[in-house]
Amino acid sequence: MPSAPRIAPSILSADFANLQTDIERARGADWLHVDVMDNHFVPNLTIGLPVVQAIRRVTEIPLDCHLMIDDPDRWAVGYAEAGAYNVTVHAEAVREPISVAMDIKAAGATAGLSLKPGTALDDWTEALRSYDTLLVMTVEPGFGGQEFMADMLDKVRRARTMVDTGHLTVIVQVDGGINADTIEQAAEAGADCFVAGSAVYGAADPARAIEALRAGAERAGRYGAPER
Ligand code: DX5
Ligand code: ZN
């Protein structure tokens, strides 16, 4: 049986003027998801390396950096060197997926590969053998607060099957539109790690929202005893 679900609040929906306070409000988070956007790969601009370095100094929560940027081959390793726990690049942007994964891991992080909704899992299964995490986007990347795309659950199911049959060894992550209503279906389909921005930071009490998400994922009944 898989271990406990991981809940990864996305600071995209936090108050950027009070980031440290909002990070501290995310008590119980397993990972802290950091959305890096460059206004090229996606039509939005957020934060980059200096902010990740600053966050790293104020929290012990493992940082999960989701790079929605062009040319991740050039930039990804810097995030690993900055102390990110996991660094995810996009399949649609990466040029040399295997060497990028090796570089990220050599710099001390785990390596993730993300697929936009229109990107097929089958085209990436070979490259994914070099990765530790697979991020299945359940919205078009770029913005928080969008509606969950339930038709992505098939991709999650197929990824789960590949892991369960030993063809891949990735953590299966979902990102986009995850909330108390949608998390159970994503968990049932086989996700291990759940990114949630607006569901956590749109709530009056982010820590309670994290617990509600965890309870929702556990309702799917796929997980063993919590490790934490
Ligand atoms: C979207 C980002 C997500 C975003 C999710 O491109 O990758 O991480 O923060 O936000 P919600 O949970 O509001 O859909
Ligand atoms: Zn993200």
Side-chain angles (χ1 to χ4, degrees), residues 10 12 33-37 64-68 90 114 135 137 139 141-142 173-176 195:
S10 166
L12 184 61
H33 187 81
V34 181
D35 287 304
V36 175
M37 306 188 192
D64 174 32
C65 292
H66 176 193
L67 307 187
M68 286 163 276
H90 262 272
S114 180
L135 178 51
M137 290 304 302
V139 297
Q173 246 184 323
V174 285
D175 182 8
V195 177

Side-chain angles (χ1 to χ4, degrees), residues 116-138:
K116 287 168 69 171
T119 303
L121 176 62
D122 282 350
D123 295 338
W124 292 93
T125 47
E126 205 46 51
L128 277 165
R129 291 173 185 274
S130 301
Y131 282 83
D132 307 289
T133 61
L134 162 63
L135 178 51
V136 176
M137 290 304 302
T138 44

Side-chain angles (χ1 to χ4, degrees), residues 58-222:
V58 300
T59 184
E60 294 296 317
I61 305 172
L63 301 185
D64 174 32
C65 292
H66 176 193
L67 307 187
M68 286 163 276
I69 61 172
D70 280 347
D71 203 5
D73 300 58
R74 176 172 174 191
W75 302 111
V77 72
Y79 290 84
E81 287 167 356
Y85 180 83
N86 179 68
V87 180
T88 288
V89 299
H90 262 272
E92 305 81 7
V94 72
R95 289 185 191 138
E96 301 286 348
I98 293 168
S99 58
V100 170
M102 285 168 55
D103 291 349
I104 291 170
K105 291 193 271 193
T110 62
L113 189 71
S114 180
L115 307 180
K116 287 168 69 171
T119 303
L121 176 62
D122 282 350
D123 295 338
W124 292 93
T125 47
E126 205 46 51
L128 277 165
R129 291 173 185 274
S130 301
Y131 282 83
D132 307 289
T133 61
L134 162 63
L135 178 51
V136 176
M137 290 304 302
T138 44
V139 297
E140 287 296 340
F143 299 92
Q146 302 182 77
E147 198 178 325
F148 179 71
M149 295 170 70
D151 52 344
M152 290 300 113
L153 290 172
D154 252 355
K155 203 187 281 187
V156 175
R157 278 186 207 102
R158 300 204 21 263
R160 179 83 260 143
T161 301
M162 299 198 77
V163 173
D164 289 348
T165 55
H167 291 89
L168 290 177
T169 52
V170 289
I171 288 172
V172 180
Q173 246 184 323
V174 285
D175 182 8
I178 298 294
N179 56 40
D181 296 327
T182 58
I183 195 164
E184 190 174 344
Q185 40 183 316
E188 255 164 26
D192 307 301
C193 179
F194 305 84
V195 177
S198 48
V200 171
Y201 282 109
D205 183 344
R208 282 186 67 174
I210 290 166
E211 283 320 304
L213 287 166
R214 191 184 307 286
E218 283 170 349
R219 266 197 298 278
R222 280 190 43 248

